[in-house]
Amino acid sequence: LMFVSLFVFGKVDLNKTGAIAASANMGMLAVTAGLFLFSFVVAARRWQLLTRALGFRKPLLELVKLYFVGVLFNLFLPSTVGGDVSRCYYLSKGTGLHKEGFYSVLADRASGLAVLFLTASVGLILSPDAASLPWQLKWPIFAGTFATFVIVPITPYLSCKLLGERNWISRQLNNSAATIFWQDKALIPVSLVWSFLSQLVLVLCHVGVGLSLGLDIPLWYYFVFYPSVAVLGFITPSFNGIGIREWAYTYFLLLVGVDKAHALTYALMWLGLTTFGSMFGGLVYIASHMQPPPKDMDEEAAFQA
């Protein structure tokens, strides 16, 4: 509904949008598509480090496959975390390490979100024109950065003090497989480095879409609006972020003087790029002869959460 509302209430000339898309630099888009697929390889390497800490010994290629399959399932499950359910299932299938698989996916997501918030915050601090952006945009980004880098590291301690040592949450944080993420002092910093590399590749993908459309967007702004849109797609219930993401891209691009037709074309091209990634995940899914997760996977994931 939000996606359709872009055209109903956005008052965009669809003929102009189509003309802009048709005149895009196809060579640049092809390079961008290749970079987009490569970003999953970098993210899978980060996930491999986290899974090894929990007892898994999956080769990188196997985890790359699971990442692509997760992107496929994102098309059909709520939010952009829908595919995480399938990743958790296929990772732990046949191992008995179901909770460990859940913790690895949760830590993988948390690592990515931390770098998203940090990247956006640094972009806002260092950018020359960030003062013109509304504070309604800035404070959630700074708050998210504070929470991930100041509150999360001391969460096990806080849970014991505030909830008591026998509380279920306290026991999960202090006496479960997830404890390794706080005990291993090198694990999370290294995973954050890989998260940064992954997000850098995705920022370059956004730059590639902008260049293919001939948009004059300041480089620093890519480091602000992409993380912000990604977080919105993560926390807002929708199928693969569709609708939420397009409205957000249009909003952020209008703030820096991009006209509405070009802004919407940018959003639609990014939708096409993510759909391309999902379709590639479908090919991986078929080629790997995977069986679909059982119907109770959503309930199991919710229970573990």
Side-chain angles (χ1 to χ4, degrees):
L1 287 175
M2 287 197 68
F3 184 74
V4 173
S5 71
L6 276 168
F7 303 95
V8 178
F9 303 110
K11 298 179 181 179
V12 178
D13 186 342
L14 294 182
N15 292 326
K16 186 176 180 181
T17 299
I20 294 170
S23 64
N25 187 322
M26 292 297 113
M28 180 60 69
L29 284 177
V31 172
T32 301
L35 272 177
F36 185 71
L37 295 181
F38 177 69
S39 70
F40 293 102
V41 178
V42 181
R45 173 55 181 160
R46 174 189 66 202
W47 189 28
Q48 185 183 42
L49 295 174
L50 298 171
T51 59
R52 282 181 177 176
L54 292 165
F56 295 95
R57 292 296 180 266
K58 297 285 187 179
L60 179 60
L61 181 59
E62 181 68 21
L63 295 180
V64 171
K65 289 180 181 179
L66 297 187
Y67 240 102
F68 277 117
V69 172
V71 175
L72 169 67
F73 278 89
N74 275 339
L75 280 178
F76 314 107
L77 297 175
S79 183
T80 57
V81 300
D84 291 346
V85 176
S86 66
R87 283 203 291 148
C88 178
Y89 169 75
Y90 288 118
L91 174 68
S92 58
K93 183 180 180 181
T95 66
L97 302 174
H98 299 294
K99 284 188 176 181
E100 288 79 359
F102 170 76
Y103 292 142
S104 76
V105 172
L106 187 62
D108 184 57
R109 274 293 181 177
S111 178
L113 271 177
V115 171
L116 283 173
F117 279 121
L118 180 62
T119 302
S121 295
V122 172
L124 288 173
I125 293 171
L126 300 181
S127 61
D129 302 314
S132 61
L133 298 177
W135 266 103
Q136 293 88 335
L137 163 64
K138 296 176 183 177
W139 77 260
I141 293 175
F142 290 136
T145 304
F146 178 82
T148 53
F149 285 94
V150 177
I151 304 299
V152 171
I154 60 173
T155 299
Y157 171 79
L158 289 178
S159 66
C160 290
K161 289 297 182 181
L162 299 177
L163 303 176
E165 295 183 359
R166 295 187 177 182
N167 181 270
W168 182 84
I169 296 177
S170 298
R171 286 187 283 112
Q172 293 301 310
L173 292 173
N174 293 276
N175 300 294
S176 71
T179 309
I180 189 66
F181 299 130
W182 285 272
Q183 291 179 341
D184 190 335
K185 302 302 182 183
L187 178 61
I188 296 304
V190 173
S191 72
L192 289 176
V193 171
W194 282 100
S195 292
F196 175 76
L197 293 175
S198 175
Q199 299 307 326
L200 181 60
V201 174
L202 287 172
V203 168
L204 291 176
C205 290
H206 281 77
V207 173
V209 174
L211 291 177
S212 72
L213 294 174
L215 300 181
D216 184 20
I217 302 173
L219 181 61
W220 67 267
Y221 195 59
Y222 286 101
F223 288 89
V224 174
F225 83 84
Y226 157 61
S228 302
V229 173
V231 171
L232 280 174
F234 176 80
I235 65 175
T236 309
S238 65
F239 290 98
N240 200 25
I242 295 175
I244 304 296
R245 180 181 51 235
E246 284 69 40
W247 265 107
Y249 276 130
T250 303
Y251 167 77
F252 282 109
L253 291 176
L254 289 175
L255 289 179
V256 289
V258 177
D259 67 88
K260 192 172 293 185
H262 278 84
L264 182 56
T265 305
Y266 185 105
L268 293 177
M269 283 196 163
W270 190 258
L271 173 61
L273 195 61
T274 56
T275 304
F276 163 71
S278 297
M279 293 301 98
F280 190 88
L283 294 177
V284 172
Y285 181 80
I286 294 172
S288 301
H289 304 288
M290 293 183 177
Q291 296 296 319
K295 293 181 180 180
D296 60 353
M297 271 303 299
D298 288 340
E299 297 178 2
E300 180 181 344
F303 173 77
Q304 290 180 347

